[in-house]
Amino acid sequence: RCLGPVIDSKAYPTIIIDNASRDGSPNAYRDCFPGAIVKALSQNIGYGRAANVGLELVETPYALLLNPDLTASLDGVEALLAHALQDLETAIWGPATLKSDFTGEPPASMEWISGSAMLFDMEKLRTIGFFDENIFLFFEETDLCRRARNKGFKVKLCRDVHFNHLLGQACASNPAVDALKAWHYGWSRCYYFDKHGLAYGKRAPRRQYRQYLLKSWLAMKGEKRHKYRFQSMGAAAFIRGEEAFRDDGSPRAGGRRVAGQDMR
């Protein structure tokens, strides 16, 4: 429903990465989009790692990474590409995915842009490196944009191009998924700041852990209490030196189960 018009146009080659769906989605993609390359993964390996699988298959000069809960039009894709073709200093472009960012102004340099829609100059991206595969979820785009800027490239938000992002609808919410997300937000935030030498003051892992724990105690609603609790557990795991993934490649998530897998 979101990306069908762009794929059906056959204007660009399409690669669909299915991150271990258990509802027959890969076969549905093949039936619906026979011209697309469909790569079905055997387990959920996270956003950045799954994106890397697709990026490794790219043979075109540019690649547009899109979330499944984002509506993109062919005109919007072409407008985004037009900006890229006129700018040789930028490695990563993104459309406005929030209405507040859709101002009609020229593209602006940013520290980072949303990972929900990112257009890459593939030659530059291969110089920078793909998404950090130590991260399961969260801060992977922030890390990639920082590495791009460290290489001397620009990251730009195209404020005259809008892709509608249906926030939070990439997968159905349930307690296990919410726990998974919260745990990895806590872990990935600590990892990102530590990786880039920013883990001091309020960004220090132990400080973050205490902040999440305090918020979990003060939260009035059960949903927020559980979110902060799992964020504190993710931060604590980072402090203990635990990685985001277990030895079998499945993501950790504070002892909850997701899609039939034990996520401890």
Side-chain angles (χ1 to χ4, degrees):
R1 186 173 72 247
C2 287
L3 305 179
V6 173
I7 299 174
D8 288 339
S9 73
K10 296 182 173 59
Y12 306 103
T14 302
I15 300 167
I16 299 174
I17 305 299
D18 182 87
N19 218 348
S21 295
R22 296 170 183 268
D23 59 357
S25 288
N27 288 333
Y29 302 146
R30 293 184 182 103
D31 291 341
C32 191
F33 308 117
I37 296 171
V38 179
K39 180 74 172 179
L41 305 181
S42 60
Q43 66 177 355
N44 184 355
I45 62 174
Y47 185 67
R49 283 187 174 186
N52 287 350
V53 172
L55 290 170
E56 290 287 357
L57 299 174
V58 170
E59 297 179 350
T60 49
Y62 296 89
L64 177 60
L65 174 65
L66 295 172
N67 271 19
D69 59 350
L70 189 144
T71 302
S73 68
L74 184 59
D75 287 344
V77 172
E78 291 178 344
L80 197 62
L81 182 59
H83 282 304
L85 293 172
Q86 297 172 13
D87 184 345
L88 301 180
E89 296 181 340
T90 302
I92 306 172
W93 295 260
T97 56
L98 300 174
K99 288 186 178 179
S100 58
D101 290 332
F102 184 40
T103 63
E105 297 172 287
S109 294
M110 309 292 287
E111 290 190 0
W112 63 278
I113 58 173
S114 170
S116 62
M118 306 180 89
L119 178 68
F120 301 114
D121 180 319
M122 290 303 298
E123 182 178 356
K124 294 182 177 66
L125 184 64
R126 292 186 178 99
T127 300
I128 299 161
F130 292 175
F131 287 103
D132 186 334
E133 297 210 347
N134 291 313
I135 299 173
F136 174 74
L137 189 63
F138 296 116
F139 289 88
E140 59 275 272
E141 75 266 50
T142 316
D143 169 77
L144 182 60
C145 290
R146 178 175 285 273
R147 286 189 283 120
R149 291 187 292 107
N150 288 345
K151 285 282 188 179
F153 300 121
K154 293 182 180 179
V155 175
K156 289 190 176 180
L157 175 66
C158 297
R159 298 175 292 181
D160 58 346
V161 182
H162 181 242
F163 290 3
N164 187 35
H165 192 193
L166 307 176
L167 293 170
Q169 296 187 39
C171 64
S173 178
N174 62 60
V177 170
D178 292 343
L180 178 77
K181 290 181 176 180
W183 192 100
H184 283 278
Y185 182 89
W187 188 95
S188 295
R189 190 167 187 261
C190 290
Y191 173 83
Y192 170 78
F193 289 137
D194 183 71
K195 174 180 177 178
H196 293 286
L198 303 171
Y200 51 84
K202 292 182 179 180
R203 295 169 172 174
R206 293 186 184 279
R207 185 81 171 268
Q208 292 185 62
Y209 166 74
R210 290 193 291 268
Q211 288 174 344
Y212 295 138
L213 197 60
L214 178 61
K215 288 180 178 180
S216 73
W217 291 338
L218 297 177
M220 300 297 291
K221 294 183 178 180
E223 292 179 2
K224 285 191 174 182
R225 186 162 57 248
H226 290 305
K227 180 184 75 171
Y228 293 132
R229 175 171 166 260
F230 278 98
Q231 286 178 348
S232 73
M233 292 169 69
F238 178 84
I239 293 167
R240 292 193 300 268
E242 295 181 12
E243 297 181 350
F245 294 90
R246 297 166 63 182
D247 291 341
D248 64 359
S250 63
R252 300 182 191 274
R256 302 301 291 265
R257 294 181 68 83
V258 179
Q261 296 179 352
D262 184 355
M263 293 300 175
R264 288 174 295 185

